[in-house]
Amino acid sequence: MLTAHRLALAVNRQGGVSIDTTTPAVVLTLDRNGMHHGGLGAIRSLGRLGVPVYGVHDEPLGPAASSRYLSGHWFWRAPADDAERLLTGLITLAERIGSPSVLIPTDDAGAIFLAEHGAELRQWFRFSDPPSDLPRRVADRYTLYQLCRELGVPCLAAARPGSLAEADEFAAEVGFPLIAMPGTPAGASRRSAGRRPQPRDPSMLHNRDELARAFHDSETAPGAGLMLQEFVPRCPSQDYFFYGYCDAGSRCEPGFVGLKERCYPALNGRTSLGRWVENPDLHAQATELLSRLGFQGIVALDYRWDPRDGQYKLLGFNPRLGEQFRLFQDDAGVDVVVAAHLDLTGRPISSGAQRTGRRLLVENRDPAAALGCRRNGELNLLWWVMSLRLVNEMAWYARDDLRPFGLMCLRTGWRAVTPITRGLARSRSGTGSSKPPRFRRGRAAPAAAPPPPAQAPQPQEPQPDQPLQLQPDVRRFVPRLRRPWQKVTTGTAHG
């Protein structure tokens, strides 16, 4: 158990970051997504500074669960839609750790749960305190669109049609192509929206037939229907993301801007190659929005520059840790996770010079993303290889922590060769588990103290007026002397 009365400081040799190593961190994952590399990055960022880090994972073979910087982990398919069971399970985790811990959610479900039900956990955990209804409003893209319209924030037109006629009306208003995505309610994990999880990657609809097919598919699939979004024509240097941390006064410090150089799927997917850029206009726009909303905590925003009107338009608002945050680490060693731990433990956030130009590669996505760019005529093999030589940070590979990279490769290969088996396994996963969290020591846990050396038994002196008791081996090897010896010791032998 950690001593809560003594403050120990770990100093980063590169930048001089001081951090409280007596306050552990818990990386919380409720969504069933074992390939979320943001959680692994959080474990490495704090673990390298000497902070005890614990993880909550839904399966033992998740790559992040094998990190050498984990002091312990719980395997728990937490029910994201059952607040009482979540509270009970998290309290069990806190009692096992034995001291207050910084709690870092890595998905929307975790951020929404803490905002709405976290008051009962304050005595065990330290986490940010945004307005209770805000994470749910911004995590859902349609309610985010409505919020942006209220605040006058540039955003893309969106609709959640209740009928095919409404979908046709929206398509006539904004024109094809359209971006379609499942309308999974904010806060629902992938397994809590139904027996079969819905894909969250958006797709493009080019005509009315594809729109009708997508709408009918959404009616038969579990979830909250279909959401449609306006499509912005592609152009270079168009997709940006903003990562930051907001303190209790909604001041965003630090804050970073990145450019999405490649993504998968190619036109509107997740980042596979990102670059840290300097963009004061977008930085100011993002920090102003966060201040107006009164947001607190780690945040990841997605923007797209619209060449039609020259505005940066908000695409997505993630009220939690984003996957690419490890791209942004200044020369003082501070990223958004380190900043959150410093602030929540009462220490000042020491910011350093920004290292613009850094690149982060997501190894399991970029080959497919590069293939899509090649099909679109945007990339060839030589330029792809040259871009790999400019990478400064990788999502999975790290020399000092190789096991997660190996497990990622195995899981990626398994998914590629067994798609049918994967689908069956997911369909059997259900909506969670009633089993309590199962704890396992991590590789960073301090070694157990060796048992004390066994002491040789001390010979006992015979008590007076009592016969001497011989050991069994002596009685076995000298049977002839047994009776005379007993006579001598009892005083009955003849002189």
Side-chain angles (χ1 to χ4, degrees), residues 8-21 44-51 69 326 328-335 337-339 342 347 350-352 355 358 393 400:
L9 302 178
V11 179
N12 188 333
R13 297 176 182 176
Q14 296 181 352
V17 176
S18 62
I19 196 165
D20 179 7
T21 58
R44 288 171 172 171
S45 285
L46 295 175
R48 286 168 178 160
L49 293 176
V51 176
Y69 293 108
R326 283 288 303 169
F328 306 111
Q329 186 181 55
D330 61 25
D331 63 355
V334 175
D335 54 40
V337 169
V338 174
L342 289 171
R347 301 198 57 79
S350 55
S351 59
R355 299 190 287 173
R358 273 172 53 88
E393 181 90 16
D400 59 341

Side-chain angles (χ1 to χ4, degrees), residues 136-371:
R136 183 177 292 275
R137 293 186 68 187
V138 298
D140 185 278
R141 290 208 175 191
Y142 185 66
T143 55
L144 174 64
Y145 162 72
Q146 294 175 321
L147 182 61
C148 289
R149 292 290 297 270
E150 295 174 9
L151 299 176
V153 175
C155 61
L156 297 180
R160 185 174 284 164
S163 64
L164 183 57
E166 293 181 5
D168 289 334
E169 182 180 350
F170 179 76
E173 179 183 349
V174 302
F176 286 101
L178 296 173
I179 301 299
M181 60 194 75
T184 304
S189 69
R190 296 189 182 193
R191 60 180 175 271
S192 63
R195 278 191 63 85
R196 185 166 184 172
Q198 288 183 299
R200 289 187 176 177
D201 292 331
S203 59
M204 187 177 298
L205 308 178
H206 297 86
N207 50 54
R208 204 267 178 186
D209 292 337
E210 293 182 0
L211 174 60
R213 189 180 308 114
F215 184 82
H216 290 308
D217 290 343
S218 69
E219 287 184 316
T220 57
L226 180 69
M227 177 180 163
L228 301 175
Q229 193 174 56
E230 176 187 10
F231 175 75
V232 177
R234 290 277 298 175
C235 67
S237 302
Q238 183 182 30
D239 291 330
Y240 293 84
F241 47 93
F242 176 89
Y243 282 31
Y245 174 75
C246 298
D247 61 14
S250 299
R251 294 180 296 270
C252 190
E253 182 65 35
F256 313 98
V257 178
L259 174 66
K260 194 182 291 187
E261 294 194 338
R262 283 196 295 269
C263 60
Y264 179 78
L267 293 178
N268 199 38
R270 300 180 181 180
T271 303
S272 67
L273 179 64
R275 175 164 55 94
W276 188 348
V277 298
E278 187 175 357
N279 192 325
D281 294 337
L282 182 56
H283 187 282
Q285 180 177 332
T287 54
E288 180 186 2
L289 172 63
L290 295 170
S291 178
R292 292 178 63 185
L293 292 174
F295 184 80
Q296 299 179 31
I298 300 175
V299 65
L301 308 178
D302 293 319
Y303 285 92
R304 175 165 292 177
W305 184 73
D306 192 342
R308 300 171 297 182
D309 55 13
Q311 290 185 318
Y312 295 102
K313 297 187 175 179
L314 185 62
L315 292 181
F317 192 123
N318 302 301
R320 40 78 179 174
L321 181 66
E323 286 186 310
Q324 277 62 250
F325 85 93
R326 283 288 303 169
L327 170 64
F328 306 111
Q329 186 181 55
D330 61 25
D331 63 355
V334 175
D335 54 40
V336 294
V337 169
V338 174
H341 193 282
L342 289 171
D343 183 59
L344 293 172
T345 55
R347 301 198 57 79
I349 301 174
S350 55
S351 59
Q354 297 198 359
R355 299 190 287 173
T356 56
R358 273 172 53 88
R359 286 177 169 84
L360 179 139
L361 179 78
V362 185
E363 304 94 311
N364 57 317
R365 291 184 197 153
D366 197 61
L371 182 60

Side-chain angles (χ1 to χ4, degrees), residues 409-421:
C409 293
L410 290 175
R411 289 185 60 139
T412 302
W414 178 258
R415 288 184 175 186
V417 300
T418 57
I420 298 177
T421 304

Side-chain angles (χ1 to χ4, degrees), residues 35 53 75 122 161 201 226 293 339 367 371 398 422 439 441 482:
M35 299 296 282
V53 185
F75 301 121
R122 291 287 174 187
D201 292 331
L226 180 69
L293 292 174
L371 182 60
R422 183 178 72 246
F439 179 77
R441 286 170 54 89
R482 183 175 180 183

